[in-house]
């Protein structure tokens, strides 16, 4: 652990999202200094290093703490937990892009080891730290909505092949819209409403094969449309719909309903947007604009939050615990889609 900040940070995984992280992290030189990068493809790491004036290192050097105080893991999800465990074992703080991993039991072992060794672990999505989420949490805590009774979360669209250069990876077995986009919606729901106790689920394959922007066809190996009913420990319930088989939807990305008012939130995949509040059908929707931040928040603000905790004797675990609960939820939804409703392990806040 460093004695002071800015901490030295190493990017591990130099794909598309790494560019967004760099934009955020370089805007906060007082907290973090990105000094090196690594990738499972060394040539990709070299190109990224040249672009951002970093030192290219091997993945082994990064996870063993030879290049920095904190590693940011942006590699494919199935590699997250193995890399993070190696780093934690070496005493290196870790921040992971969502999801935490592909196995909740392994995720629990990682967090247990991190606690035992006093190593900080953080995990995306960090949109729960952004101004729209803070304002929504404030309104709920102040009782503006009354008693929250239900919610809905919806992502329906044509799929990432409409913009992603290599969408095949997002349709591979064990990925799909639930594991790729679900963490944004589930994290926000749990952040605002508390832990989920049970789920029901259904999953379908619709459009397959799919086609890249260049016209290449490929199979969809994971369900392309998932519905779930979530029962929260608080007594509230929510529906979750994530699918890549539609063209467009007018349903709000997130809607929280209470006995006194309804709150519509912007897309939880992003760090900005306007909220809408309505008290009854007699009144129009009222737009609520969160306070502006300078510099504007973006992907990577969770890294900054983790960096601030590096010098504390007992780092908090909020984002990692939330990510683990979300991973349990994803597994439970997948299980419930073909079996009886599945109980979810308790989440401690």
């Amino acid at each position: 652990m460093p004695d002071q900040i800015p901490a030295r940070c190493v990017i591990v995984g130099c794909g598309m999202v790494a560019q967004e992280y760099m934009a955020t992290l370089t805007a906060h030189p007082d907290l973090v200094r990105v000094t090196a990068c690594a990738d499972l493809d060394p040539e990709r790491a070299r190109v990224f290093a040249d672009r951002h004036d970093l030192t290219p290192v091997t993945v082994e050097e990064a996870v063993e703490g030879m290049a920095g105080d904190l590693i940011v893991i942006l590699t494919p999800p199935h590699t997250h937990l193995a890399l993070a465990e190696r780093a934690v074992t070496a005493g290196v703080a870790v921040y992971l892009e969502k999801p935490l991993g592909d196995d909740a039991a392994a995720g629990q072992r990682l967090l247990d080891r991190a606690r035992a060794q006093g190593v900080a672990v953080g995990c995306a999505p960090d949109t729960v730290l952004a101004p729209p989420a803070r304002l929504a949490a404030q309104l709920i805590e102040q009782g503006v909505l009354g008693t929250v009774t239900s919610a809905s979360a919806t992502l329906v669209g044509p799929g990432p092949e409409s913009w992603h250069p290599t969408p095949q990876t997002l349709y591979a077995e064990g990925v799909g819209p639930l594991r790729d986009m679900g963490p944004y919606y589930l994290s926000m729901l749990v952040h605002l409403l508390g832990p989920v106790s049970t789920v029901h689920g259904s999953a379908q394959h619709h459009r397959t094969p799919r086609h890249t922007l260049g016209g290449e066809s490929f199979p969809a190996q994971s369900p392309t449309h998932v519905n779930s009913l979530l029962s929260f420990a608080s007594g509230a319930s929510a529906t979750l719909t994530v699918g890549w088989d539609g063209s467009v939807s007018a349903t709000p990305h997130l809607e929280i309903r209470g006995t006194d008012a309804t709150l519509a939130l912007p897309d939880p995949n992003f760090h900005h947007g306007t909220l809408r509040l309505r008290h009854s059908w007699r009144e129009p929707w009222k737009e609520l604009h969160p306070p502006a931040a300078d510099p504007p928040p973006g992907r990577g603000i969770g890294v900054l939050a983790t960096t601030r905790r590096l010098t504390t004797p007992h780092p908090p675990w909020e984002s990692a615990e939330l990510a683990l609960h979300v991973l349990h939820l994803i597994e439970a939804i997948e299980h419930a889609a073909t079996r009886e409703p599945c109980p979810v392990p308790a989440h401690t806040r």
Side-chain angles (χ1 to χ4, degrees), residues 13 30 37 74 76 110 126 132 161 185 206 208 231 251 283 311 315 345-346:
D30 55 321
C37 66
L74 308 178
L110 170 68
D126 54 15
E161 64 266 40
Y185 293 78
H206 287 294
T208 188
S231 297
T251 305
E283 300 178 16
T311 56

Side-chain angles (χ1 to χ4, degrees), residues 104 108 195-198 324-325 327-329 331-332 342-348:
Q108 183 66 67
V196 175
S197 54
T198 60
L324 179 60
H325 186 60
L327 185 53
H328 275 299
L329 282 176
E331 289 186 346
C342 181
V344 178
H347 164 59
T348 55

Side-chain angles (χ1 to χ4, degrees), residues 148-223:
V148 174
T149 57
S150 66
S152 60
T154 305
L155 168 73
V156 174
E161 64 266 40
S162 62
W163 59 270
H164 200 288
T166 56
Q168 297 93 325
T169 58
L170 300 178
Y171 288 93
E173 186 174 356
V175 192
L178 178 61
R179 285 183 177 259
D180 181 55
M181 297 303 298
Y184 296 107
Y185 293 78
L186 290 168
S187 296
M188 191 66 75
L189 285 171
V190 174
H191 176 68
L192 295 175
L193 305 183
V196 175
S197 54
T198 60
V199 306
H200 295 69
S202 67
Q204 297 84 32
H205 280 83
H206 287 294
R207 289 192 293 115
T208 188
R210 319 291 284 213
H211 297 86
T212 66
L213 290 171
E216 178 186 351
S217 65
F218 63 93
Q221 297 174 316
S222 291

Side-chain angles (χ1 to χ4, degrees), residues 135 273-275 287-292:
L135 179 56
T274 300
L275 289 77
E287 289 194 349
L288 304 176
H289 301 278

Side-chain angles (χ1 to χ4, degrees), residues 86-159:
R86 290 171 62 185
V88 166
T89 300
V92 182
V94 174
Y95 186 87
L96 300 101
E97 174 58 11
K98 60 80 192 167
L100 181 66
D102 55 8
D103 182 341
Q108 183 66 67
R109 290 194 295 271
L110 170 68
L111 268 58
D112 289 344
R113 173 165 292 195
R115 284 193 192 91
Q117 297 195 197
V119 176
V121 176
C123 187
D126 54 15
T127 49
V128 297
L129 303 175
R134 292 202 301 268
L135 179 56
Q138 179 183 350
L139 294 171
I140 293 171
E141 184 178 355
Q142 292 174 346
V144 173
L145 306 188
T147 300
V148 174
T149 57
S150 66
S152 60
T154 305
L155 168 73
V156 174

